[in-house]
Amino acid sequence: MIEVTFDRDARALYCYFAEIQEGEDATQIECDGSFLLDAAGQISGLRLATGGVLLPEALRYALSHPQAELDEQGDLTIRFAAEQASAEPLPYPAIFDLARNGAALGVEVIAEPEFAIGERLAHIEPLLVEVYGGDEEPPPAPEAQAHAPRPTPEAAAALPAQVQPVRVGFVALLGRPNVGKSTLLNAYLGRKVSIVSPKPQTTRLPVRGILNRDDAQVIFVDTPGLHEPKSGLGEFMVQAARRAIPDSDVLCFMVDASVPPGPLDERIAELVKRARKPTILVLNKIDRARRADVYLQQYRALGPWEWEVAVSALTGEGLGTLLEEIVKRLPLGPRLFPVDQVTDLSLREQVAELIREKVLLNTQEEVPHGVAIEIEEWEQRGARLYIRATVNVERESHKAIVIGEHGRMLKKIGAAARFEIERLLEQPVYLDLWVKVRKDWRRDPASLRWLGYDIRNLKS
Ligand code: GDP
Ligand code: MG
């Protein structure tokens, strides 16, 4: 049976086709659809236009349930009841979570507040396994998380030295795009694990940066923007934040203190507050915040916050203080990652991200969102590591931009990327870059599997 959860705060229904194991959902893909309603306005089903987005094969878990059927146009219908009097288009694209094998594990649909999902659940009731948010207690942190059981201080003292507990835990960096989350992460880790660019939405993978000290292991989670601006960017940033919260021990609500709060800051602030976890207001970019004191009041008013600090992720100001405050709030426990590990991204993933960053920094607005890097070869040849990578773009015109006149742009991108890759890998590298047009790769599951979205399979 398809199981459903409902999140009141996010106004989101989630239909599970298969059990989702921790870390199993590798890719997300969007598609349009509608709610099917009975005469009383109760939700009697969902229709999702998967044609051109997902192959029937990818829907095998969904179609193993009697409630689901697929027609020739590729419309997937999930029925909670037989009646259907009308249909209401979804205000935001539905989001399918795909497993590494490309099969959809479940789908999330989000509605506007006026639609009031909570009052339309009569037919879904029997399938509802969980309701989050609203007046309910916040959901417990999922058991499957990497949190090891925390020993009591007395029990901990009895442990051998190498597993002596330290302050350890997950710290979510939450905030709208461009406030400086990735910059902060990189500043703490002293090397790039998360790419930075002046264009919003450059982080695609949920990067974890791991900071080790003698007395602490701080695991930063930089919330990714998995979705494109055209499809309700704000909404999805909020969703990304919502997902990171339950697994975190400390929340950093990060804002750009040089500008006043916007609606997105307010929405994220609401979510953060509702989690009732230790939260620090991080006012970033104070190096250029001339009227910071004024905006400070406005950001403060979005709270209450347990603590606040003004920092500059760029100059480093305030970062020491912030770290102390974070560490203080972490529980005691054994380290969750080896001390020499800085990130849970593989080296290949980091290299691909570095190349993508250089493309983003060097090209104009129309190119960036369609760029995906594919590492094709990775081979030690004598003293040098030979890396062949393909820069996939969506259009011929983008290819021309990335290559540039007489190949100048690609050379520039390659040189900048190679410099940082050599620093990362600490060895000479020969970087061989190719540019390929993969039309509409973002809509093609086969391409998605090939591209950055599945590079976890290539772990070195
Ligand atoms: P994210 O989307 O929140 O991860 O933001 P990024 O870390 O990618 O930063 C977005 C932009 O803000 C980049 O151009 C950064 O260089 C810039 N930035 C980040 N932190 C600071 C800061 O403290 N001061 C200034 N002036 N710029 C910053
Ligand atoms: Mg970022």
Side-chain angles (χ1 to χ4, degrees):
M1 214 162 47
I2 290 177
E3 293 186 338
V4 182
T5 62
F6 171 45
D7 185 331
R8 285 184 194 280
D9 301 333
R11 305 181 305 277
L13 280 178
Y14 197 96
C15 302
Y16 294 86
F17 309 140
E19 208 172 309
I20 301 185
Q21 303 294 329
E22 165 67 7
E24 191 188 354
D25 47 331
T27 305
Q28 297 186 323
I29 204 162
E30 293 175 5
C31 88
D32 296 326
S34 35
F35 286 111
L36 306 181
L37 304 173
D38 72 5
Q42 294 289 324
I43 300 169
S44 61
L46 291 171
R47 179 157 299 146
L48 303 163
T50 65
V53 179
L54 288 169
L55 298 170
E57 232 250 308
L59 292 168
R60 58 186 181 271
Y61 297 150
L63 295 171
S64 70
H65 299 281
Q67 294 106 325
E69 63 184 53
L70 186 67
D71 70 14
E72 277 140 36
Q73 284 101 59
D75 281 351
L76 175 72
T77 304
I78 300 170
R79 277 190 205 285
F80 307 115
E83 306 99 280
Q84 185 206 328
S86 61
E88 167 113 359
L90 299 177
Y92 309 100
I95 310 166
F96 280 93
D97 283 317
L98 307 188
R100 305 244 166 98
N101 65 10
L105 296 164
V107 66
E108 182 174 42
V109 297
I110 303 162
E112 307 274 21
E114 306 82 67
F115 184 76
I117 293 184
E119 282 143 46
R120 298 168 183 258
L121 294 173
H123 300 302
I124 298 178
E125 209 72 56
L127 307 177
L128 262 187
V129 291
E130 200 124 33
V131 176
Y132 304 123
D135 300 325
E136 310 278 321
E137 281 297 296
E143 291 290 316
Q145 273 310 308
H147 298 273
R150 318 252 187 216
T152 61
E154 303 78 61
L159 293 169
Q162 66 273 27
V163 289
Q164 273 298 333
V166 292
R167 296 271 165 200
V168 58
F170 291 83
V171 178
L173 301 176
L174 304 159
R176 62 171 179 76
N178 247 16
V179 294
K181 300 181 292 296
S182 301
T183 309
L184 182 90
L185 189 58
N186 293 332
Y188 276 135
L189 301 172
R191 77 194 232 198
K192 281 206 168 148
V193 293
S194 193
I195 71 167
V196 178
S197 101
K199 300 177 186 82
Q201 285 307 96
T202 50
T203 310
R204 272 167 198 260
L205 296 161
V207 178
R208 277 181 187 166
I210 306 157
L211 181 105
N212 278 291
R213 305 203 311 194
D214 286 348
D215 61 339
Q217 181 168 68
V218 187
I219 304 145
F220 289 101
V221 181
D222 182 6
T223 46
L226 280 167
H227 298 276
E228 308 304 320
K230 63 175 190 298
S231 48
L233 167 68
E235 195 58 40
F236 288 114
M237 283 309 297
V238 174
Q239 294 305 319
R242 185 173 63 87
R243 290 201 179 108
I245 288 172
D247 310 333
S248 304
D249 300 293
V250 173
L251 310 180
C252 287
F253 172 46
M254 202 160 165
V255 301
D256 180 346
S258 68
V259 297
L264 204 49
D265 293 299
E266 285 167 24
R267 294 224 29 216
I268 296 173
E270 273 312 307
L271 272 174
V272 167
K273 270 194 295 186
R274 212 171 282 140
R276 294 191 212 114
K277 293 197 175 205
T279 301
I280 299 173
L281 170 64
V282 181
L283 299 139
N284 191 31
K285 307 200 187 180
I286 46 156
D287 56 292
R288 70 163 193 216
R290 289 200 188 81
R291 300 171 55 207
D293 44 344
V294 180
Y295 300 135
L296 168 81
Q297 291 302 339
Q298 295 184 26
Y299 284 112
R300 199 178 268 166
L302 299 179
W305 311 112
E306 194 173 304
W307 203 70
E308 70 187 30
V309 61
V311 303
S312 168
L314 211 57
T315 67
E317 193 179 343
L319 295 187
T321 322
L322 172 57
L323 186 60
E324 290 315 314
E325 293 297 326
I326 290 172
V327 168
K328 230 192 258 181
R329 288 170 172 77
L330 295 177
L332 282 168
R335 288 178 202 266
L336 300 172
F337 292 91
V339 288
D340 55 358
Q341 192 175 339
V342 219
T343 174
D344 65 350
L345 288 185
S346 71
L347 285 175
R348 281 165 197 251
E349 286 169 308
Q350 293 177 65
V351 164
E353 284 291 82
L354 282 173
I355 298 169
R356 199 162 69 82
E357 176 187 59
K358 298 307 171 207
V359 176
L360 298 191
L361 284 171
N362 285 289
T363 56
Q364 293 308 309
E365 264 149 47
E366 76 266 37
V367 181
H369 289 295
V371 172
I373 310 298
E374 205 174 341
I375 305 287
E376 316 247 16
E377 262 187 86
W378 180 286
E379 190 186 50
Q380 195 68 43
R381 293 187 184 169
R384 278 177 194 275
L385 179 68
Y386 172 81
I387 299 174
R388 185 161 59 88
T390 302
V391 178
N392 291 279
V393 293
E394 288 191 310
R395 302 217 190 94
E396 286 296 340
S397 61
H398 293 175
K399 180 175 172 179
I401 294 170
V402 173
I403 292 177
E405 231 181 304
H406 304 299
R408 257 184 240 134
M409 177 57 84
L410 191 61
K411 258 199 199 122
K412 190 172 160 199
I413 291 168
R418 185 170 64 92
F419 178 77
E420 294 210 15
I421 294 168
E422 289 186 339
R423 249 191 2 188
L424 171 72
L425 303 176
E426 293 172 346
Q427 72 150 305
V429 164
Y430 182 87
L431 181 63
D432 194 5
L433 285 186
W434 295 81
V435 185
K436 207 191 279 178
V437 179
R438 255 182 209 265
K439 248 187 160 174
D440 290 330
W441 61 264
R442 276 178 292 179
R443 300 211 147 262
D444 173 10
S447 291
L448 279 171
R449 221 166 302 134
W450 265 101
L451 299 175
Y453 297 89
D454 220 358
I455 48 185
R456 272 153 203 279
N457 290 343
L458 299 171
K459 276 218 197 303
S460 42

